[in-house]
Amino acid sequence: MNKSLAKIYKPGLVKLALNSWPPFWGAGIKILSISDDFREVRMKLKLRWWNKNANRTQYGGSIFSLTDPVYSLMLMGILGERYYVWDKEASINFIKPGQSDLFAEFCVSQNQLDDILMQTANGDKCFPEFIIYVKDKQGNVVSEVQRKLYVRKKPQFREEDGEEQVA
């Protein structure tokens, strides 16, 4: 994230922007809430006629899209302009058909954040992993999605010989 974006990167604006973003809107994805500290996000995937598969259930690509790029955006909000944050890899395990609207909750715990900060303190790369359980209206798990991210301090903020550089 660049310095200009960091100044306006607030939960309400991110929610508005992503709920208006054509890939999310077209897939039936909606952000329900983003906590003020970016640590919790709740999302919904609406079952629409155009995102059903041949079996008349949720299209797997839409289910996968529901989880992309949420953790990256959360960490960008938490860590700010000093860090690169990208999705690195992901996998999905389809457990049962999604026959209704689907929901996902995302959380970055203090322990996860502490691990990321510790591993990146000296400019090293970090590859945190997160698991998301996509659930139906009844709370049954429909799919399990694993996401691995890439996190690293930008060069101008990396420490050299124990001294942090100032940009």
Side-chain angles (χ1 to χ4, degrees):
M1 170 181 339
N2 66 38
K3 197 174 214 168
S4 299
L5 181 58
K7 290 178 183 176
I8 62 167
Y9 199 83
K10 307 291 182 218
L13 185 59
V14 171
K15 179 181 172 185
L16 176 67
L18 288 176
N19 282 340
S20 304
W21 190 40
F24 271 18
W25 180 86
I29 296 169
K30 183 175 183 178
I31 296 176
L32 300 174
S33 66
I34 302 175
S35 66
D36 289 340
D37 60 2
F38 282 101
R39 301 249 186 129
E40 295 179 16
V41 173
R42 289 183 33 249
M43 298 185 62
K44 175 181 180 178
L45 173 60
K46 187 156 182 65
L47 182 60
R48 296 181 173 162
W49 67 267
W50 65 80
N51 67 358
K52 289 181 181 179
N53 61 26
N55 295 310
R56 311 300 293 155
T57 61
Q58 287 279 12
Y59 171 63
S62 295
I63 296 171
F64 200 53
S65 294
L66 175 65
T67 68
D68 181 31
V70 181
Y71 273 113
S72 290
L73 296 173
M74 291 170 74
L75 285 177
M76 287 171 65
I78 294 167
L79 298 172
E81 68 183 82
R82 295 176 170 250
Y83 288 81
Y84 292 119
V85 182
W86 289 300
D87 276 309
K88 181 169 175 38
E89 67 183 62
S91 64
I92 188 166
N93 178 19
F94 296 106
I95 296 169
K96 66 179 275 186
Q99 299 176 324
S100 68
D101 293 349
L102 301 178
F103 301 87
E105 294 183 7
F106 305 78
C107 180
V108 176
S109 71
Q110 187 61 49
N111 285 342
Q112 290 168 317
L113 185 55
D114 290 343
D115 286 345
I116 291 167
L117 293 171
M118 183 185 67
Q119 290 179 44
T120 60
N122 295 317
D124 294 332
K125 300 172 192 171
C126 175
F127 303 104
E129 294 187 34
F130 301 92
I131 303 289
I132 306 108
Y133 297 98
V134 179
K135 298 178 180 181
D136 63 18
K137 287 193 298 191
Q138 291 76 35
N140 300 309
V141 176
V142 170
S143 66
E144 179 183 278
V145 181
Q146 175 271 332
R147 292 244 168 224
K148 182 185 282 189
L149 277 57
Y150 168 100
V151 181
R152 189 173 191 189
K153 275 188 180 178
K154 292 179 180 177
Q156 65 268 34
F157 299 109
R158 294 181 192 155
E159 295 178 9
E160 284 186 16
D161 302 322
E163 303 262 338
E164 188 168 325
Q165 296 178 4
V166 178

